[in-house]
DNA sequence: AGATGTGTTCGACAATGTCAAACTGAGTTG
DNA sequence: CAACTCAGTTTGACATTGTCGAACACATCT
């Protein structure tokens, strides 16, 4: 592809840096990270600030993400067909299973959470729409990887980070797991990302037959497991829900 | 300020267009709107697509916002000090009042919702974090405008849009209302944005004494009004909550 | 004071992105 | 079914545009 606009790519790199680990960075930090002169970085930041994508902390002079991004993120959600079509079904899944529901899609080899329904009780829960979860350590991610072999192999080529003793870190083992997911039509994660947290998920397919997302539930093993295995009743709810959303998206009604 | 980077400003304009009314636009739509040749717009879009800020619908060829923005929006929230410090207090305000709580800040003459706690019951509610509310027709907005006279006069110079018969559309009347808000330290909106919806709010002040946000509750008049006036008990909770957050932000503990 | 660390400004240079015109392909229309 | 229209896309010459590195201003340490 000939001719991508340099300054926009650089601006995007800056925003990505600012949305990473350290959300406050100075001009020199960014310049160092990108290998650019600080004058150049300053110009980019000044423009990003004038359009509201970046804000400068008055005390420290450091830069952080700006408020305009929040509104754009929520606008993205409004236009996202997957989420819009899934709204009703995810609510009903949460009600039926009495667990929290998440819908995710693949983004840069990770799972981007596009919808989250709280577990229907009064306990405090934090919303993780917009979060990026590791694909190889979540049920949502396994479902998505299973149907995106190219992404899966790209991910497996890197080091699979370990989060708990149960995390799959071996590429070959991941490949076998994904084959099983493909065959059975659902995935489970038993404490592979967070100890004492279990999740299941099933694929959401669009009108072209592409797996465009995954929907699933997560919660503690006491409620989600029976004899160390996923509970068939809950699993059925999850699979039915995902199938319903797929139908809504125009997939062949099967 | 000499030298803002043209292509970044243009890219931001495109994103703003895509986050507006029509979330799917074609190259010619955008080019027409911006008064640029379509080749130029195409180049900008191609770059925005390669960095994930924009996606292209395969069927229609039209462009829409991209998933990267969702993650950046949520990263913005994580780094937002106002929201972080307000988390606990907003929860407790929702519990005490048994109503939904919103925290907002001023963004481009509108109220950007940075936090939202659902009303503590099981009814379905939709999250409006990231939404932009009109400032002159909400309690949050009035509180913010009252302490940002420059923004208030800029807003009043335009036409104040009417949403219900109760919306304040007269600049002079808005100014009087804001003076009262300043004097009494809180604001109310009685069906001025949505018929049958009432909201109150109080200011959140930072360590420099600047009003950086507002926190308030909203709900139906049956619960929020007594004799057509804000209920003193609920109002006191709101004001105490906002004061607590202000203290948390380092405002002089008064 | 001096030294180092910020973020910021400046102006010359040429690399960079812009523009208009030409291209492609889908969908319509006579 | 060819001609037309409208979409998105590609192209290459041109000069506008953004880049760079050095100098600046202002802190905060030593």
């Amino acid at each position: 592809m000939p001719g991508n606009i340099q300054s926009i790519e650089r601006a995007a790199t800056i925003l990505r840096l600012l949305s990473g680990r350290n959300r406050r960075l100075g001009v020199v930090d960014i310049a160092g990270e990108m290998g650019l002169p600080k004058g150049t970085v300053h110009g980019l930041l000044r423009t990003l600030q004038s359009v509201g994508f970046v804000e400068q902390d008055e005390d420290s002079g450091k830069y952080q993400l700006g408020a305009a991004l929040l509104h754009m993120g929520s606008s993205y959600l409004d236009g996202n067909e997957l989420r819009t079509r899934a709204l009703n079904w995810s609510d009903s899944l949460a009600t039926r299973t009495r667990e929290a529901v998440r819908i995710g899609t693949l983004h840069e080899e990770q799972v981007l959470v596009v919808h989250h329904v709280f577990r229907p009780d009064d306990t405090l829960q934090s919303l993780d729409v917009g979060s990026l979860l590791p694909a190889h350590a979540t049920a949502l991610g396994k479902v998505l990887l299973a149907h995106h072999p190219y992404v899966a192999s790209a991910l497996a080529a890197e080091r699979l980070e370990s989060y708990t003793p149960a995390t799959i870190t071996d590429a070959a083992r991941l490949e076998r797991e994904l084959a099983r997911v493909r065959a059975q039509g659902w995935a489970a994660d038993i404490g592979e990302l967070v100890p004492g947290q279990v999740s299941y998920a099933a694929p959401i397919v669009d009108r072209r037959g592409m797996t465009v997302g995954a929907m699933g539930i997560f919660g503690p093993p006491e409620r989600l497991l029976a004899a160390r295995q996923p509970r068939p009743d809950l699993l059925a709810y999850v699979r039915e829900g995902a199938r319903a959303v797929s139908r809504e998206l125009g997939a062949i009604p099967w």
Side-chain angles (χ1 to χ4, degrees), chain A:
Chain A
M1 57 184 101
N4 260 7
I5 295 172
Q6 188 188 52
S7 51
I8 294 182
E9 287 185 327
R10 288 178 171 178
T13 305
I14 290 178
L15 294 177
R16 231 177 294 132
L17 285 174
L18 287 174
S19 67
R21 278 267 151 253
N22 311 305
R23 49 276 190 123
R24 276 192 196 175
L25 295 173
V27 173
V28 289
D29 303 325
I30 297 172
E33 200 80 39
M34 298 176 66
L36 289 176
K38 52 180 185 167
T40 305
V41 170
H42 178 74
L44 293 162
L45 282 168
R46 181 181 42 204
T47 308
L48 285 171
Q49 181 175 25
S50 81
V51 298
F53 286 15
V54 143
E55 289 167 4
Q56 186 173 25
D57 185 64
E58 293 207 5
D59 298 335
S60 64
K62 295 200 182 297
Y63 289 88
Q64 54 192 310
L65 294 181
L69 291 170
L70 177 58
H71 180 234
M72 299 207 157
S74 86
S75 291
Y76 164 77
L77 281 182
D78 291 340
N80 183 293
E81 195 180 357
L82 170 61
R83 172 180 170 274
T84 312
R85 293 293 166 83
L87 280 179
N88 302 322
W89 295 105
S90 53
D91 279 332
S92 97
L93 180 58
T95 308
R96 294 211 275 178
T97 59
R98 301 208 59 77
E99 296 294 342
V101 171
R102 275 199 293 227
I103 296 176
T105 191
L106 221 42
H107 179 67
E108 291 177 356
E109 304 184 0
Q110 294 176 289
V111 179
L112 179 68
V113 178
V114 298
H115 191 53
H116 179 172
V117 183
F118 286 162
R119 177 167 14 91
D121 63 30
D122 276 349
T123 57
L124 286 186
Q125 299 166 63
S126 73
L127 189 77
D128 37 10
V129 171
S131 304
L132 287 172
L133 309 174
H136 66 286
T138 53
L140 290 175
K142 289 184 195 174
V143 165
L144 293 166
L145 289 178
H147 298 92
H148 291 272
Y150 180 78
V151 178
S153 58
L155 187 66
E158 303 161 27
R159 213 179 61 79
L160 296 172
E161 195 162 344
S162 176
Y163 302 95
T164 75
T167 308
I168 298 176
T169 55
D170 178 59
R173 198 170 143 230
L174 180 62
E175 188 37 60
R176 284 199 304 279
E177 171 82 352
L178 295 184
R180 203 174 67 191
V181 169
R182 253 189 309 272
Q184 70 192 9
W186 54 271
D189 124 57
I190 304 185
E192 294 164 38
L193 178 61
V194 177
Q197 174 162 301
V198 172
S199 66
Y200 326 145
I204 297 174
V205 177
D206 78 358
R207 70 187 72 84
R208 281 185 294 266
M210 292 268 294
T211 299
V212 293
M215 177 162 80
I217 61 175
F218 64 100
E222 304 88 80
R223 292 201 302 263
L224 292 197
L225 295 183
R228 301 193 169 212
Q229 290 300 312
R231 279 176 43 191
D233 55 336
L234 294 180
L235 197 50
Y237 286 144
V238 169
R239 300 186 66 187
E240 280 163 23
R243 209 177 310 143
V245 176
S246 301
R247 208 177 305 123
E248 192 108 347
L249 281 173
I252 311 97
W254 82 98

